[in-house]
């Protein structure tokens, strides 16, 4: 049977959104519910895909099917496209599976030509309405279908108003509108070389193609990328009989929400305009009235609308965003959809609707977008100040929140001045050496680097606001000054940055602290009951651990030990260890680091109060701890009592062509077992001390990074056991600990069965696993990844959203192999993906035991894990 | 049932070498054949493994089993260990599964103490023989079992000879020997703090443990690594009744081969000494006689030996290497094994034995070590010159053959001086810029880099001799001079290098060209009939293609197009393309490269005469085409009419943190489609021109590198098809071409089902696939890979031998997924592993269609593929 590409509204329903798009499915559903919907039909998303497969052409078959449905529509309405006696006018609107507001194109009043216009004047006795509609149609068609510039048309209108000495469009007469129609058609012919199409069927088919084309326009592509909507979905097209809100004082149009989308309050919210078309409400020339005022104007229509709104909310079990038109006192519903809402409102509506008995807790959980919670957890700018302010530049929204402070250009300066007031750290890019300055700052602004740059990753981990990769930002370190789109800001002057939008402002903008209402805790409580995966946090110090605990983390999934080494009081010992010429010298330097590491671990163990803590052994290549510039080497050499030549030689010997694939991770303790021994000693002694001091048993989990073969984990595990078992036996405690491994190399996943013979847990390091699986260096992929997304070679940035089709297969193998060898192996994930809802959904399917993410993402992960468990419950 | 750890010789046979080791299995086999073998027993390799598992101890059970077999041996021989009346003496020798000559330890004459010695004097009437045996035993036991220095004992002997004014050991009397026994025992006690053990059973158990320990000695570890013998195998221990060739003129000892191991000639080959023990033959103090001379000395024994030799060769179906002893005119066989032989001899023996009806062709194929063929394909040093010469240094044997030439330190100088005589290129390391200099040189010597460094890989591809990574080599580029272990060699002076051993010599050593005899072709012919995989070659130019064809390649599996860009007349256009600021400028530069590329491809297509040729699109990161040092940038900028700042900016913008995972491979034509278009045009136009000119249809295979997702290959394939189909249609030819992809990223293997929707063939780039799967950067892994092998974390270098357990699983997935989507997809391998016999065996199992390797490895691959097909035939 041939595929069906066109559906009457009465043939569809709300479950068909993949085929009919959101708008089409909801129009069909409303039709089925018996609500007053102007009739029409939907051309499916598959027709759109087919259009692209056919090289940008509507095939003869689909064209025939469209015209067949047009016939049927004419029969239902009793009107006829192009018939001056009883003309049918239609709107042609896009409608994708997911709402993409304002992203694609719409054409109204289609079906008008000179004859039809004259006929309508006779029918309505309202020539101004008719010619206003006609000139609007020509404008929209020329712009949307033919790509002629909107401005040209507006300038004709402006010229005419000037001629007549009037200000407003509404002051133009019917005759003026007729004049404009003539001018518009002349302009069209002069630019297009042919007349404006008078055949309504030609108009219709051209308009449908224009909607299909709009799926591929740049705005739509950018929007899809931001919202993870696959290009392959395509858009549907809705062809619907026009109804008119501008036919007189008994007509009108409006938009309304069933609840307040800003606060969540349970009261109809929206506005309307009498004698107006939809675009007038938006245009802001006349001031619309609040929806409740409609009760005074047309009480019956208002009652009908309230009843429709109520039944739609009950039917969809969600707050609705509706468009309606009143034509000669008849109410028509033009659209309904689940309404967008602020994060606060989202939480309140979900909780209220459970209270009203409209939703179960699980249903309520599904209504909240987990990523929206982010905004509830960070300070934001005062809305009034924000409305008044104009950004001077924009970067990537790398870590959410709002920050304001005096600008400093080095980590040292930021740290110093943070003592006397809030500071912003502004750098070309950050490195591990900047950690202390970042901690001291309210926010971080960088000129280079993407969402996964060092600044972005570390800032998110700390919950610091960060705007990264602002291309227009020039920093002159020597003169302590920045330039941004012509604005000059010197050290110490104030700037404000919005890490949720990427906007950058001059001066001090007031911020408002995050207010987490009781509804938030209620929702989190429901989520915790429902979810099946544990949620841990990544935390490198007691402060972050405490934050994580506060946000509901059930343990630490990743403590990176290297950040501890970068602190100013520690890095000298670390450097001494690196330049050591013998194992003995190395051991002496390590002995200085030992008490500091032990202290760090004690702090974290205490903060977590017996919850599991996974500590990763030293991971980065050693050269990261040494300076690379000659001038810095010179200074450090002097400090260390070395010659420049000696230190330079060490730096050179540590240089690697591809450091990501070089001497790091478990390769370090394999070459220098004393490093692993010192770290084990620090971990176990800290666990012993805290257990003895608090009486709460600590069970450390020691994680070996960058393992690719059983031999590696076996070697390092032996080394750990030799140290740990001796210390524990001397302590007299019955202490337990686990040794496990990161799964971050493809070979680790592939040979997980053998690695699990030694490893007691796996933690997927999805950042590195993604890098190695794709062969994408995160530091370098900025050069080509944007082009990959632009050219649709990849649907998503695999560093933001876990790649299920490729890297995901490796994870599935590792899970299966790992359990095959060790049925109770603990499986978790500690990459950036651990806080991404779409990725969390996959981890639920694959069967992981927990996810670990930065402390500020913990609530998001808790909610996302609950949603994942609802969608794919485990036995 | 308890495991059996000890076997009497009469309990075993030749098939049990895994358990009994090679020596033990062959002693058992000879015993079963009824040959005269002194009786004994073998302690299994499993006992060795158990010894290590038990922490370096022989368990009580195994000890009991040994002593039980000792009892049985005493019963069989009628002699008794430690019984002065009728003493049993034994030898204790190691014997691993694969022969490891000289790598492990042996103890002779075990069972002697003062009482036994006195008893033996009475029994033999030969006190000198007895005390000579006794002092030898003490020496060996002290050295092998207790680790006392050999020199100490030798110095006692030297002192005694000086005292007596004699020169030779043989001039020492029985009394002298007895004195030495006393001195040795005193020395032993002074060093060990206890007396030399007099209990023969204690001696025996200590000796057995010493053999087990010897499995783990450094020599053995190095040997195993070189020969790919797993550590986990362990060694067996053979305890055998001593027989003595030094009991008078009717006794003797010797070694012999059933055929000449140097030439392969079918005639008994070997030597013997009368009245001597085995070590005397090796020691070179007396000159042994040729084996055929034995006929005159002891005709009956000689006849018996000939008959034994003949039956052993027939039995084992291979040339045998035998040890024998004659005690009082009785022949005893002490060992037989398949004899080591020169590559020439190996081929001749295999062919002869087929001619003699002793072997089938397939059996003959299995007798030849494929890697040994390498030596037949390259020039080598004249053997006499080699014997007389002393190397001044040694590096890695990176590419086989011998070379001699005047030393030059830059590619330019080498190229220039090669016009007037042979040159050697000596560099710290080579880069792609050195290609022309390498081509012009007889051989390449480098100070850095391993077997897979640029110099090594390229040299092997060219069949140039190369010694790489000579650590002792210092090069002063500024003064055009090198220093090597105190020797100074200036530019223009001669050196000689041996790429098969890594040895480096001063001056000119005469070389002999490779001589490939008729037997070689015969064997290759048999191999071609048997094998199931095709063998192609990697070749980047017509000369290499011709070489490959000459060696029997059935096509080109990999033509790298980037090498073509590095030639001096081309790199300017390439650089112009790289610094171009617009697509237009890039296209203009590419237009200059087009005719050169087309010419290259025409040459290769012509050389291959219709055989398939796979051409890979440009792969390396663009920065490789630009200099990195400021001075070079300065010069180039001037040449190109740019400012230093401009060019430096380009160089910096191309810098990558991890270039291996950066902008390269298919990412280049995705960002700059015009590069892929130009290359496609060059390939297709060349194919058209050659087809028209020669009348032989050319079918190019265009290979897209570094693909990780279907989107990538789809994009590049479209780009190729757009260009190619137009050119072909214009040509009027009915030309076919294929578009396929390298599988060198883990994600490519994992998503091979989807990639195969577009790719018409897969070629596994096992070098990069290994890098990405392990996360081992080949350029950097030299820092830790040696430690991995030393510490037995990995059994093999995965760059030399394909990693079956990890990367191999990815390959299996890719093969399965690829065929699932496209059942006739062509599957090959073009990494370095394509020429490695062990890896080829795996590729046969996995089901690849072909391997591709450097031209000089083609015969090796042909033979290895035949062996693989014999071992694992496909339906």
């Amino acid at each position: 049977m041939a595929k069906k590409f066109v559906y009457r509204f009465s043939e569809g329903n709300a479950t068909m959104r993949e085929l009919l798009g959101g708008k089409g499915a909801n129009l069909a559903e409303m039709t089925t519910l018996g609500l007053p919907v102007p009739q029409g039909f939907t051309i499916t998303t598959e027709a759109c895909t087919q259009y692209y497969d056919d090289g940008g052409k509507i095939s003869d078959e689909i064209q025939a099917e469209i015209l067949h449905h047009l016939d049927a529509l004419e029969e239902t309405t009793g009107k006829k496209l192009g018939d001056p006696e009883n003309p049918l006018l239609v709107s042609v609107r896009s409608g994708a599976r997911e709402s993409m507001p304002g992203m694609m194109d719409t054409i109204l009043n289609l079906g008008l030509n000179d004859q039809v216009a004259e006929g309508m004047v006779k029918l309505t006795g309202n020539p101004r309405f008719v010619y206003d509609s006609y000139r609007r149609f020509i404008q929209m068609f020329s712009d949307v279908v033919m790509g002629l510039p909107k401005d040209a048309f507006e300038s004709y209108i402006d010229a005419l108003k000037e001629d007549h000495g009037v200000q407003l469009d509404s002051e133009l007469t019917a005759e003026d509108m007729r004049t404009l129609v003539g001018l518009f058609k002349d302009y069209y012919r002069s630019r297009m070389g042919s007349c404006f199409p008078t055949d309504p069927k030609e108009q219709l088919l051209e308009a449908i193609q224009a909607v299909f084309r709009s799926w591929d326009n740049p705005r739509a592509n950018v929007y899809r990328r931001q919202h993870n909507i696959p290009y392959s979905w395509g858009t549907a097209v809705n062809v619907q009989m026009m109804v008119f809100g501008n036919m007189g004082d008994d007509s009108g149009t409006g938009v309304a929400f069933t609840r307040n989308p800003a606060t969540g309050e349970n009261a109809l919210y929206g506005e309307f305009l009498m004698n107006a078309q939809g675009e007038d409400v938006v245009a802001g020339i006349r001031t619309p009235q609040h929806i409740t005022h409609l009760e005074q104007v047309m009480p019956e229509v208002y009652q009908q609308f309230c009843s429709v709104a109520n039944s739609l909310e009950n039917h969809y079990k969600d707050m609705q965003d509706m468009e309606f038109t009143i034509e000669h006192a008849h109410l028509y519903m033009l659209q309904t959809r689940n309404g967008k809402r602020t994060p606060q409102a989202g939480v309140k509506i979900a909780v209220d609707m459970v209270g009203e008995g409209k939703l179960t807790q699980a249903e309520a959980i599904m209504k909240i977008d987990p990523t929206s919670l982010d905004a509830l957890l960070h300070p934001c700018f005062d809305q009034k100040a924000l409305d008044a302010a104009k950004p001077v530049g924009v970067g990537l929204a790398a870590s959410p929140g709002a920050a304001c402070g005096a600008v400093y250009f080095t980590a040292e300066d930021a740290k110093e001045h943070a003592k006397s007031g809030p500071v912003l750290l502004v750098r070309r890019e950050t490195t591990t050496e900047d950690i202390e300055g970042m901690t001291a700052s309210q926010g971080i602004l960088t000129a280079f680097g993407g969402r996964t740059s060092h600044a972005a990753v570390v800032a998110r981990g700390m919950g610091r606001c960060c705007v990264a990769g602002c291309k227009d930002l020039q920093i002159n370190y020597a003169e302590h000054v920045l330039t941004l789109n012509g604005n000059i800001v010197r050290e110490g002057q104030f700037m404000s940055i919005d890490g949720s939008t990427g906007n950058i402002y001059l001066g001090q903008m007031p911020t408002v602290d995050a207010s987490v209402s009781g509804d938030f805790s209620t929702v989190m409580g429901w989520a915790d009951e429902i979810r099946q995966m544990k949620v841990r946090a990544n935390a490198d110090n007691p402060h972050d651990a405490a934050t994580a605990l506060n946000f509901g983390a059930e343990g630490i999934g990743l403590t990176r030990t290297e950040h501890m080494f970068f602190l100013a009081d520690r890095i000298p010992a670390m450097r001494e260890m690196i330049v050591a010429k013998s194992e003995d010298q190395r051991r002496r330097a390590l002995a200085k680091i030992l008490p500091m590491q032990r202290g760090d671990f004690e702090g974290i163990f205490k903060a977590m109060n017996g919850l599991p803590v996974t500590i990763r052994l030293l991971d980065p290549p050693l050269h990261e701890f040494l300076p690379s510039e000659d001038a810095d080497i010179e200074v450090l050499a002097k400090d260390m009592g070395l010659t420049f030549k000696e230190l330079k030689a060490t730096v050179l010997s540590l240089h690697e062509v591809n450091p990501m694939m070089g001497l790091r991770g478990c390769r370090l303790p394999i070459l220098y077992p004393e490093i692993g021994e010192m770290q084990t000693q620090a971990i176990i002694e800290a666990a012993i001390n805290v257990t003895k001091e608090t009486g709460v048993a600590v069970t450390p989990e020691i994680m070996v990074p960058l393992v690719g073969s059983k031999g590696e984990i076996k070697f390092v595990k032996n080394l750990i056991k030799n140290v740990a078992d001796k210390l524990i036996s001397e302590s007299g405690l019955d202490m337990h600990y686990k040794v496990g491994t990161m799964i971050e190399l493809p070979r680790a996943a592939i040979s997980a069965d053998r690695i699990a013979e030694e490893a007691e847990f796996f933690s997927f390091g999805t950042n590195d696993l993604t890098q190695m699986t794709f062969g994408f260096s995160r530091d370098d992929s900025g050069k080509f990844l944007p082009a990959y997304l632009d050219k649709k070679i990849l649907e998503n940035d695999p560093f933001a959203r876990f790649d299920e089709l490729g890297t995901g297969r490796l994870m599935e193998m590792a899970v299966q192999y790992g359990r095959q060898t060790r049925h109770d192996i603990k499986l978790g994930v500690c990459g950036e993906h651990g806080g991404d809802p779409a990725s969390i959904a996959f981890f639920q399917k694959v069967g992981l035991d927990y996810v670990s993410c930065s402390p500020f993402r913990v609530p998001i992960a808790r909610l996302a894990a609950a949603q994942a468990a609802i969608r794919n419950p485990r036995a």
Side-chain angles (χ1 to χ4, degrees), chain A:
Chain A
M1 213 185 80
K3 203 182 252 182
K4 183 170 162 70
F5 286 106
V6 186
Y7 287 75
R8 283 199 312 279
F9 288 169
S10 55
E11 289 180 311
N13 63 57
T15 66
M16 294 167 74
R17 51 188 313 136
E18 292 191 15
L19 193 62
L20 304 180
K23 182 178 297 191
N26 285 331
L27 283 168
E29 186 80 7
M30 287 198 289
T31 303
T32 313
L33 288 174
L35 300 181
V37 175
Q39 279 313 289
F41 54 87
T42 304
I43 303 158
T44 65
T45 55
E46 291 178 350
C48 178
T49 316
Q50 190 65 45
Y51 168 85
Y52 282 103
D53 285 352
D54 291 342
K57 250 181 31 198
I58 300 183
S59 71
D60 291 346
E61 291 73 17
I62 296 179
Q63 193 164 320
E65 204 176 333
I66 292 170
L67 294 178
H68 168 74
H69 274 81
L70 178 62
D71 288 348
L73 179 61
E74 287 175 339
E75 201 160 310
T76 314
T77 58
K79 300 178 177 192
K80 213 172 159 60
L81 200 66
D83 179 0
E85 306 298 316
N86 190 17
L88 173 69
L89 299 194
V90 295
S91 63
V92 177
R93 290 180 218 240
S94 65
R97 203 196 292 195
E98 295 285 340
S99 162
M100 294 169 63
M103 283 302 136
M104 290 187 300
D105 292 317
T106 292
I107 296 146
L108 300 179
N109 306 336
L110 187 142
L112 275 163
N113 58 26
D114 292 354
Q115 288 73 39
V116 170
E118 274 312 303
M120 280 183 68
V121 170
K122 279 183 206 152
L123 283 171
T124 62
N126 191 341
R128 191 188 180 286
F129 153 69
V130 172
Y131 282 97
D132 185 27
S133 300
Y134 194 6
R135 69 93 192 164
R136 285 177 197 246
F137 168 56
I138 298 173
Q139 262 179 289
M140 278 193 253
F141 188 92
S142 302
D143 164 28
V144 171
V145 181
M146 295 304 172
L148 295 181
K150 281 186 203 170
D151 297 354
F153 295 98
E154 291 299 331
S155 63
Y156 281 110
I157 302 178
D158 290 345
L160 199 66
K161 286 195 284 193
E162 209 175 312
D163 266 11
H164 292 14
V166 299
Q167 299 275 333
L168 300 175
D169 288 7
S170 56
E171 298 175 85
L172 293 174
T173 63
E175 199 46 43
D176 293 337
M177 291 298 173
R178 190 194 294 261
T179 306
L180 283 174
V181 165
L183 289 168
F184 285 7
K185 288 199 293 186
D186 290 347
Y187 174 76
Y188 181 97
R189 194 174 54 239
S190 74
R191 290 296 305 272
M192 300 302 299
S194 62
C195 287
F196 188 84
T198 54
D199 175 1
K201 288 190 181 163
E202 185 187 338
Q203 293 172 356
L204 177 65
L205 292 171
E206 289 286 352
I208 291 168
Q209 291 192 58
V211 174
F212 284 159
R213 279 199 304 273
S214 74
W215 177 252
D216 198 26
N217 76 27
R219 274 184 308 168
N221 280 316
V222 169
Y223 185 92
R224 270 197 297 275
R225 209 140 61 230
Q226 284 170 351
H227 292 80
N228 281 324
I229 299 176
Y231 175 75
S232 59
W233 282 0
T235 182
V237 183
N238 298 292
V239 177
Q240 188 175 24
M241 187 183 76
M242 286 295 301
V243 289
F244 297 94
N246 55 347
M247 287 188 84
D249 290 341
D250 60 349
S251 300
T253 189
V255 296
F257 295 84
T258 55
R259 300 184 187 228
N260 187 319
T263 64
E265 189 200 354
N266 185 4
L268 209 52
Y269 179 93
E271 41 198 22
F272 72 101
L273 264 180
M274 294 310 285
N275 196 11
Q277 265 200 316
E279 50 183 337
D280 300 325
V281 181
V282 186
I285 297 165
R286 288 160 57 194
T287 306
Q289 293 180 289
H290 192 274
I291 186 72
T292 49
H293 192 66
L294 183 62
E295 186 164 17
Q296 282 139 274
V297 182
M298 302 185 95
E300 279 176 34
V301 170
Y302 180 72
Q303 282 315 322
Q304 189 191 358
F305 180 71
C306 287
S307 147
V308 165
N310 194 41
S311 65
L312 281 173
E313 187 180 277
N314 288 341
H315 182 72
Y316 283 105
K317 293 184 165 192
D318 204 347
M319 185 264 270
Q320 294 297 295
D321 167 3
M322 301 159 294
E323 290 178 20
F324 63 93
T325 284
I326 304 164
E327 187 186 85
H328 293 316
H330 282 286
L331 174 70
Y332 289 99
M333 297 303 296
L334 297 185
Q335 172 159 319
T336 192
R337 59 185 177 200
N338 295 339
K340 305 252 172 206
R341 63 206 75 181
T342 64
Q344 288 86 346
V347 170
K348 178 169 170 49
I349 290 170
V351 172
D352 285 353
M353 287 180 80
V354 172
E356 296 157 21
K358 291 185 175 177
L359 292 180
T360 65
Q361 291 176 3
E363 283 169 338
I365 288 286
M366 296 306 289
K367 300 289 182 194
I368 303 171
D369 174 6
T371 51
S372 75
L373 299 184
D374 218 16
L376 301 181
L377 306 171
H378 296 92
C380 57
F381 286 125
D382 179 79
Q383 189 59 42
K384 284 203 192 93
L386 205 55
D387 290 343
K390 203 178 130 48
V392 292
V394 63
L396 295 169
S399 179
C404 157
V407 162
Y408 289 95
F409 299 105
T410 69
E412 292 70 34
D413 289 347
K415 195 177 153 193
E416 182 56 32
H417 290 274
K419 293 171 191 159
S420 46
V423 302
L424 279 190
L425 176 63
V426 181
R427 301 279 304 160
R428 288 199 195 117
E429 58 203 334
T430 62
T431 69
T432 34
E433 293 176 33
D434 298 323
I435 296 284
E436 287 183 279
M438 294 171 75
T439 311
S441 303
Q442 301 298 305
I444 297 109
L445 170 61
T446 68
F448 302 116
R451 262 173 254 278
T452 52
S453 61
H454 178 266
V457 172
V458 173
R460 283 198 295 273
M462 295 176 170
R464 281 296 168 291
C465 157
C466 174
V467 172
C470 173
K471 285 188 193 136
D472 299 325
L473 180 66
Q474 274 111 36
I475 305 175
N476 185 332
Y477 283 137
E479 302 185 10
H480 306 272
V481 63
L482 69 79
T483 319
L484 175 57
N485 294 325
N487 300 283
I488 294 173
V489 180
R490 301 191 175 282
E491 182 182 88
Q493 294 184 315
F494 275 76
M495 290 181 85
S496 302
I497 59 174
D498 187 335
S500 307
T501 62
N503 282 335
I504 304 165
Y505 304 88
L506 297 179
Q508 270 179 287
M509 296 250 293
T511 59
V512 193
D513 271 352
S515 69
V516 173
S517 77
D519 289 336
F520 182 86
S521 321
T522 305
V523 167
M524 283 294 123
W526 296 340
D528 291 345
E529 276 171 39
I530 291 170
R531 68 187 158 87
Q532 298 175 306
M533 286 190 293
K534 298 259 180 200
V535 175
R536 297 192 186 186
N538 302 345
D540 301 347
N541 53 59
H543 174 264
D544 287 356
T547 307
L549 203 60
N550 190 38
F551 281 128
E554 296 162 292
I556 302 296
L558 174 62
T559 292
R560 300 178 197 85
T561 52
E562 51 270 19
H563 287 173
M564 304 173 177
F565 291 121
F566 281 107
L567 300 178
D569 54 339
R570 297 157 181 218
I571 199 164
M574 187 68 189
R575 286 169 169 166
E576 197 182 316
M577 198 254 329
I578 293 170
V579 303
K581 296 265 177 276
S582 69
E583 186 184 322
D584 252 22
Q585 279 185 1
R586 252 193 316 277
R587 286 193 186 275
R588 276 200 296 278
L590 286 165
K592 295 185 197 168
I593 302 174
L594 173 68
M596 306 178 195
Q597 280 247 306
R598 189 173 48 218
D600 292 324
F601 297 139
E602 285 169 353
I604 293 174
F605 289 145
K606 268 188 219 167
M608 293 310 291
N609 194 31
L611 289 173
V613 176
T614 306
I615 295 169
R616 181 177 73 183
L617 299 183
L618 189 69
D619 186 45
L622 297 180
H623 67 77
E624 289 196 5
F625 297 92
L626 293 180
S628 57
E629 300 293 325
D630 280 359
D632 301 331
I633 294 173
E634 189 98 48
V635 172
L636 179 62
K638 203 167 281 173
D639 282 358
M640 297 186 71
L642 296 170
T643 66
F644 168 80
K645 215 173 147 186
E646 281 171 321
L647 189 56
K648 175 83 180 176
T650 302
V651 170
L652 283 181
S653 77
L654 291 175
H655 169 78
E656 293 180 308
V657 180
N658 295 290
M660 173 59 52
M661 306 160 72
L663 178 50
R664 50 174 285 244
C666 71
R667 299 163 197 176
L668 291 168
I670 287 173
L671 256 68
Y672 309 113
E674 52 279 10
I675 299 178
E677 286 165 12
M678 181 281 283
Q679 292 204 289
T680 304
Q681 188 181 346
I683 293 167
I684 298 295
E685 286 180 351
I688 290 171
N689 293 349
V690 172
T691 301
K692 287 191 172 167
E693 186 184 329
T694 65
V696 178
V698 174
T699 306
E701 301 176 343
I702 302 177
M703 182 153 74
V704 184
L706 213 73
V707 165
S709 60
K710 182 186 162 187
E712 291 168 318
I713 177 71
K714 187 173 180 181
F715 183 94
V716 181
K717 188 181 175 184
N718 277 344
L719 175 161
I720 292 169
K721 286 188 83 65
N722 285 341
V723 174
D725 292 351
K726 184 158 171 287
L727 291 171
I728 291 172
S729 123
E730 287 166 2
S731 77
L733 289 176
D734 177 29
M735 172 172 286
H736 298 276
Y737 66 96
K738 285 196 163 125
V739 179
T741 172
M742 297 277 282
I743 301 286
E744 52 188 339
L745 292 173
R747 199 175 186 283
I750 301 164
S751 60
D753 45 352
R754 287 189 298 278
I755 289 174
E757 289 169 19
E758 299 291 335
E760 294 166 284
F761 62 88
F762 286 169
S763 178
F764 290 91
T766 52
N767 297 347
D768 275 11
L769 190 60
T770 301
Q771 290 199 84
M772 301 306 303
T773 304
F774 276 91
F776 285 172
S777 159
R778 224 157 57 148
D779 297 299
D780 305 307
S781 60
K783 282 185 188 162
F784 52 87
L785 213 43
Y788 269 51
L789 299 172
D790 279 343
K791 297 187 182 188
K792 293 160 201 111
I793 287 167
L794 290 177
E795 291 265 11
N796 296 296
D797 176 350
F799 294 115
R801 181 166 176 176
F802 189 66
D803 161 49
E804 298 182 20
L805 295 176
T807 323
R809 280 192 180 170
L810 280 179
M811 184 181 280
E812 285 168 331
M813 281 174 71
V815 168
Q816 186 200 322
Y817 281 143
R819 292 226 169 96
Q820 190 175 300
T821 302
R822 188 184 290 264
H823 71 95
D824 62 346
I825 191 165
K826 202 193 282 190
L827 303 169
V829 67
C830 64
E832 290 263 313
H833 300 97
D836 171 57
S839 307
I840 289 170
F842 181 74
F843 302 146
Q844 164 81 9
K845 274 193 272 184
V846 170
L848 300 193
D849 298 312
Y850 71 88
V851 299
S852 186
C853 55
S854 54
F856 282 86
R857 304 280 300 179
V858 165
I860 296 171
R862 287 160 71 195
L863 182 59
Q867 293 185 343
I870 292 168
R871 282 201 200 89
N872 290 290
R874 293 181 196 157

